[in-house]
Amino acid sequence: MKVLVTELYNEAGQQMLKDKGVEVTLAYGKSHDELVAMVPEYDALIVRAATPVQKDFIDAGKNLKSIGMAGIGLNHIDVEYAKSKGIKVLNVPDGSTTAVSELAVGMILTTLRKIPKANKDVKNGTWEKTAYPGNEIKGKTIGICSLGKIGFRVAEILLAFGAKEILTYDPYLKQEIADKIGAKILPLEEVLKQADIVTIHTPLTPETKHMIGKDQIALMKDGSYLFNLGRGGIVEETALYEALKSGKLKGAGVDVMEVEPPKSSPLFELDNFTVTPHIGAGTEEAQIYISESLARQTLEALGL
Ligand SMILES: NC(=O)c1ccc[n+]([C@@H]2O[C@H](COP(=O)([O-])OP(=O)(O)OC[C@H]3O[C@@H](n4cnc5c(N)ncnc54)[C@H](O)[C@@H]3O)[C@@H](O)[C@H]2O)c1
Ligand SMILES: O=C(O)CC[C@@H](O)C(=O)O
């Protein structure tokens, strides 16, 4: 059996596949066309967020028994089409809850305290103690879209920091989950109006694309903060730029962008904008767990 791996996949999972006699091909950095040309020979595919697997790819994968996402989000995979061809679609829904939620809190702290700018300035020879007035999490109203596994963990950590309350927009959330941490479920507009810090942990779907645009940001409190660690395309980037530039938003941070990698963005000119290159799941712990879980699921799909 042969497995085609298109993006960085931890050695722990690779070894589990090899131990069962599976041939593992690491095809990192290949173009879409190169991968489509390779895939007919393979029995299983393992990808991450940067490999779209749409109809042409699936049609080419004539021997595929499974498509594995070494992560959570399946927005880049045509799941229904794969299933209609009898191909199993695998992912690891609990693999990066800790990694992403800790990055989210790190990004919130970093942005509220202007750490990236202060760090850059000091290294460039400036020591200016009054140039970075910050804000605290303690006492703040937090808006979380959505209160799934990651959003829930972010809420728990922020409550431990002394946040005043958690408001959530999540139309599919069970009340008993919100009740566990005393979160209030509200319409999106209310969350945006009332929160000092809004953080997005929503899947990208047709419903959530550009869920936060100019009109939604206009509802937010003057001087509030916005974070997106869900998917690029949920927050409309031109609207975010305008809001940061005008000071409507005091700061923002994202781990995901609408086009990844971005060629350039006006957002990069702004000191009150923090960005990381989709590294939410990028801890050793998460990657080992994800690779092992996906290896187990792939072996099962291959009947090994
Ligand atoms: N930055 C990263 O590296 C990274 C890593 C992992 C996951 N993610 C993203 O985070 C998302 C959430 O992950 P999770 O583990 O918390 O998923 P989850 O399935 O546990 O939670 C998703 C939540 O979104 C809610 N939801 C669904 N449709 C919605 C809508 N239209 N509007 C508002 N809420 C809606 C659901 O009710 C659920 O509570 C993933 O889908 C993925 O896109 C990003
Ligand atoms: O690390 C990745 O490639 C994707 C991580 C994340 O966005 C996910 O959905 O699991």
Side-chain angles (χ1 to χ4, degrees), residues 33-99:
D33 289 348
E34 287 170 323
L35 293 173
V36 168
M38 291 173 80
V39 74
E41 282 179 47
Y42 289 88
D43 301 288
L45 181 66
I46 290 183
V47 304
R48 288 177 61 174
T51 309
V53 186
Q54 297 299 317
K55 287 195 170 92
D56 61 332
F57 205 141
I58 295 167
D59 284 336
K62 295 189 189 328
N63 293 310
L64 286 180
K65 281 109 193 140
S66 67
I67 297 170
M69 163 62 177
I72 299 174
L74 295 173
N75 52 288
H76 57 312
I77 299 177
D78 193 335
V79 177
E80 290 314 311
Y81 190 66
K83 284 185 181 165
S84 77
K85 297 263 173 184
I87 302 169
K88 292 199 168 106
V89 178
L90 316 170
N91 70 340
V92 188
D94 60 349
S96 54
T97 308
T98 303

Side-chain angles (χ1 to χ4, degrees), residues 11 60 62 71 76 78 95 101 103 105 109 112 135 140 148 178 182 187 193 199 215 233 260 289 301:
E11 280 161 19
K62 295 189 189 328
H76 57 312
D78 193 335
S101 51
L103 181 71
V105 174
L109 287 168
L112 266 59
N135 286 116
K140 297 299 182 297
K193 276 184 202 165
T199 183
D215 293 348
E260 294 180 3
Y289 180 94

Side-chain angles (χ1 to χ4, degrees), residues 113-245:
R113 299 304 304 269
K114 304 186 170 72
I115 294 172
K117 170 120 176 72
N119 176 60
K120 192 170 81 183
D121 290 351
V122 171
K123 289 179 178 173
N124 285 334
T126 312
W127 186 269
E128 180 50 79
K129 283 174 69 72
T130 56
Y132 315 100
N135 286 116
E136 297 174 5
I137 291 168
K138 188 173 177 190
K140 297 299 182 297
T141 296
I142 312 292
I144 302 194
C145 313
S146 318
L147 209 64
K149 287 182 284 301
I150 295 171
F152 189 90
R153 183 65 192 140
V154 170
E156 285 183 322
I157 301 172
L158 295 181
L159 285 169
F161 272 83
K164 183 174 154 207
E165 62 177 341
I166 305 290
L167 311 178
T168 185
Y169 168 65
D170 189 329
Y172 305 106
L173 187 71
K174 291 196 180 117
Q175 183 67 50
E176 61 253 39
I177 299 205
D179 289 347
K180 283 187 192 170
I181 46 166
K184 276 191 213 155
I185 305 176
L186 292 174
L188 178 61
E189 292 69 21
E190 277 310 309
V191 171
L192 296 174
K193 276 184 202 165
Q194 294 182 37
D196 302 298
I197 298 168
V198 173
T199 183
I200 314 273
H201 303 283
T202 307
L204 179 65
T205 67
E207 237 181 339
T208 63
K209 186 158 169 88
H210 291 170
M211 181 173 97
I212 308 288
K214 190 174 172 211
D215 293 348
Q216 289 71 32
I217 292 175
L219 297 173
M220 292 178 69
K221 282 187 179 176
D222 291 346
S224 57
Y225 293 88
L226 178 62
F227 298 88
N228 181 14
L229 287 91
R231 274 289 179 272
I234 294 176
V235 175
E236 215 266 289
E237 288 171 7
T238 311
L240 181 61
Y241 172 80
E242 295 300 337
L244 287 168
K245 182 99 180 146

